[in-house]
Amino acid sequence: MNRHDASRTPAKTSPTTFHVKSFGCQMNVYDGERMAEMLGTQGMTAAADGGQADLVILNTCHIREKAVDKVFSDIGRLTREDGSRPMIAVAGCVAQAEGGEIQRRARNVDIVVGPQAYHRLPDLIGKAGRGEAAVDTDMPLASKFGALPARTKQARPTAFLTIMEGCDKFCTYCVVPYTRGAEISRSWLAIIDEAKALVDGGAREITLLGQNVNAWEGEDDKGRAQGMDGLVRELAKIGGLARIRYTTSHPNDMSDGLIAAHGEVDKLMPFLHLPVQAGNDHILKAMNRSHSAESYLRIIERVRAARPDIAISGDFIVGFPGETEAEFQDTLAIVEQVRYAQCYSFKYSPRPGTPAADMDGQVAADIMEDRLARLQALLNRQQADFNAATVGRTTDILLERKGRHPGQLIGKSPWLQSVVVTAPELSIGDMVDVTIISAGPNSLAGETVRRKAA
């Protein structure tokens, strides 16, 4: 049976089991967890994989190149050998960007739901089961978070917590303002309550999420205006919470208070992901980044003055339209000045509907590939140097998962490095002091010194 024949085979009208497959950023992971919790409150049960589920939700990301094609490839693989298939929902940013076009291209898709509307997923499942149109890509002014159920207990030592969504920056290469909408900050009390629920469920580390997470603003329980620094300080008061992280930040939203918090709040980890994207001011202006290379470097200086041992991470795009070799050299220069602990770097790829997609001076693929290789070689050397400098240091590690070999456990250092220890007497969720004994390009090895009290 070909793909079009399979599309005529009806999915189960009242699914009782589901599987969520999330792609891309941490916020998608969070959204996937929240969808799963919501379906659980509807009496549905999670299945181990899509092959066993009555409903499969593809929670998509639109940031990477060819994201749409990958979604349709996954949709095609959901048809089973006997010609049957699960009910299929496409959620997330690809759903928001493509809307009903997804169902026109893939007739076996039953539901299309954007990232601001997934709280209405139970209603969409009901519509799809009745054979009705089930597309919802609205961006309501009211936040979806108030419609989601309370967090369920999760036996994991780390957790994500979305505190704001959307973006008002409109970088010319980016689809986020169009797929996630305008910036919306969740309320102070909702964030504190969810954080407490996560800690009660076993989380010892919480990562605060947002497209521009440090743009969060709100009022505390006394009606006082607060920025993210005030929120971090309040979260640090939660007993049992050992670590706080946040991602992703924008340079323009690095307030004095947040910089100071890095030096004053022990639970705020010494790690900052602060993308600059390029090192040349002409390219930054074309990207609509609203900061200069110099202003970015001054922020890094101030953060390091507040917390000298902080690890800096970032994002880079090479081959942005019009980028010359000399302008690319400015990117290499800023990397040399900052000395990154780790980084993400990509070739520019046009996103339909973004201003950069129609700019003159699109850079040839082979030139982009060459620039990316040179940039990544430098970034990899810096990461290796940062990891090597950790050898001999004793630091605390939060154990998160099992390793490949018996007795091995893997956790994260305060600087977000993966650390492998052989300690069969320890358990996932333990916080331990570890002496780093060796460093590889992507992970460290350590010897346990002692378990720390909860």
Side-chain angles (χ1 to χ4, degrees):
M1 180 175 287
N2 64 32
R3 182 167 129 182
H4 291 292
D5 292 332
S7 71
R8 298 189 184 99
T9 304
K12 187 171 182 178
T13 56
S14 299
T16 58
T17 59
F18 68 90
H19 179 72
V20 181
K21 183 177 181 180
S22 292
F23 305 82
C25 67
Q26 296 98 324
M27 189 169 288
N28 264 23
V29 174
Y30 174 89
D31 286 347
E33 291 174 350
R34 301 298 272 134
M35 282 188 268
E37 291 168 358
M38 180 174 55
L39 296 178
T41 66
Q42 303 292 311
M44 298 179 66
T45 303
D49 58 59
Q52 304 172 21
D54 301 326
L55 167 68
V56 174
I57 302 170
L58 300 175
N59 187 26
T60 61
C61 176
H62 206 287
I63 298 300
R64 301 293 177 257
E65 189 175 6
K66 299 181 180 177
V68 176
D69 291 340
K70 291 177 183 177
V71 170
F72 286 108
S73 177
D74 280 335
I75 291 168
R77 285 195 290 268
L78 289 173
T79 299
R80 301 173 180 129
E81 290 185 1
D82 63 0
S84 66
R85 64 174 179 84
M87 181 180 287
I88 300 172
V90 177
C93 291
V94 170
Q96 186 68 41
E98 300 295 318
E101 180 63 25
I102 291 173
Q103 290 179 317
R104 285 187 284 274
R105 285 186 60 182
R107 294 162 55 196
N108 51 345
V109 172
D110 303 281
I111 298 166
V112 178
V113 58
Q116 300 295 51
Y118 69 72
H119 57 293
R120 297 198 279 254
L121 189 55
D123 291 338
L124 294 170
I125 292 170
K127 287 183 177 181
R130 296 189 296 271
E132 300 173 14
V135 178
D136 192 340
T137 54
D138 286 348
M139 291 188 181
L141 293 176
S143 170
K144 70 191 172 198
F145 293 101
L148 293 172
R151 296 306 304 260
T152 57
K153 185 172 183 178
Q154 302 179 46
R156 293 197 301 272
T158 63
F160 294 130
L161 200 172
T162 293
I163 66 169
M164 62 85 65
E165 276 198 290
C167 181
D168 295 340
K169 300 297 190 289
F170 287 91
C171 298
T172 56
Y173 53 81
C174 185
V175 298
V176 166
Y178 312 103
T179 59
R180 289 277 183 173
E183 289 178 359
I184 298 176
S185 294
R186 294 183 66 189
S187 75
W188 173 279
L189 288 176
I191 295 167
I192 300 300
D193 287 346
E194 186 169 337
K196 289 178 178 177
L198 290 170
V199 173
D200 289 344
R204 302 194 68 185
E205 174 181 297
I206 291 177
T207 300
L208 308 178
L209 300 179
Q211 269 78 32
N212 290 315
V213 67
N214 54 341
W216 182 89
E217 59 183 9
E219 292 184 349
D220 64 17
D221 52 349
K222 295 180 175 59
R224 297 171 299 192
Q226 296 283 357
M228 192 177 147
D229 56 306
L231 181 63
V232 166
R233 292 176 190 275
E234 187 68 17
L235 290 169
K237 298 176 184 177
I238 298 175
L241 179 62
R243 292 175 160 189
I244 301 169
R245 301 185 189 274
Y246 64 91
T247 194
T248 291
S249 305
H250 193 284
N252 281 22
D253 296 314
M254 283 302 297
S255 67
D256 293 344
L258 186 54
I259 291 172
H262 274 281
E264 298 168 359
V265 180
D266 291 339
K267 291 184 179 181
L268 183 57
M269 291 295 95
F271 184 92
L272 175 63
H273 183 71
L274 190 66
V276 64
Q277 302 297 359
N280 176 269
D281 286 349
H282 174 256
I283 295 299
L284 289 172
K285 185 176 181 179
M287 289 178 168
N288 196 35
R289 284 294 289 170
S290 67
H291 61 82
S292 67
E294 182 65 22
S295 68
Y296 178 84
L297 290 171
R298 297 293 77 78
I299 292 169
I300 299 298
E301 285 183 358
R302 292 173 59 208
V303 172
R304 282 183 165 145
R307 185 69 192 260
D309 69 334
I310 198 163
I312 304 297
S313 172
D315 293 345
F316 286 93
I317 296 172
V318 303
F320 188 80
E323 183 187 65
T324 65
E325 175 62 24
E327 290 166 339
F328 171 69
Q329 288 294 327
D330 288 341
T331 291
L332 296 180
I334 203 170
V335 172
E336 292 279 14
Q337 288 179 267
V338 173
R339 306 182 314 280
Y340 289 95
Q342 56 178 258
C343 257
Y344 301 98
S345 52
F346 312 96
K347 294 180 292 184
Y348 168 75
S349 59
R351 295 292 179 267
T354 60
D358 297 321
M359 287 182 178
D360 294 333
Q362 299 288 326
V363 177
D366 59 336
I367 294 175
M368 286 197 287
E369 289 170 4
D370 174 69
R371 290 176 186 172
L372 183 64
R374 285 185 280 158
L375 173 61
Q376 289 183 339
L378 175 57
L379 292 170
N380 290 340
R381 287 197 299 273
Q382 290 189 347
Q383 181 171 333
D385 290 344
F386 184 87
N387 288 345
T390 315
V391 175
R393 180 181 294 178
T394 298
T395 187
D396 56 292
I397 305 298
L398 176 59
L399 299 176
E400 299 179 9
R401 57 190 173 89
K402 293 181 179 180
R404 288 183 294 178
H405 303 294
Q408 272 191 348
L409 291 167
I410 301 174
K412 290 291 196 307
S413 76
W415 305 279
L416 207 63
Q417 301 151 300
S418 291
V419 182
V420 182
V421 297
T422 300
E425 74 281 6
L426 297 176
S427 302
I428 293 171
D430 284 344
M431 185 81 76
V432 294
D433 283 335
V434 168
T435 298
I436 306 301
I437 58 174
S438 65
N442 299 310
S443 64
L444 310 174
E447 289 182 345
T448 57
V449 177
R450 59 185 175 275
R451 182 191 282 114
K452 303 185 75 170

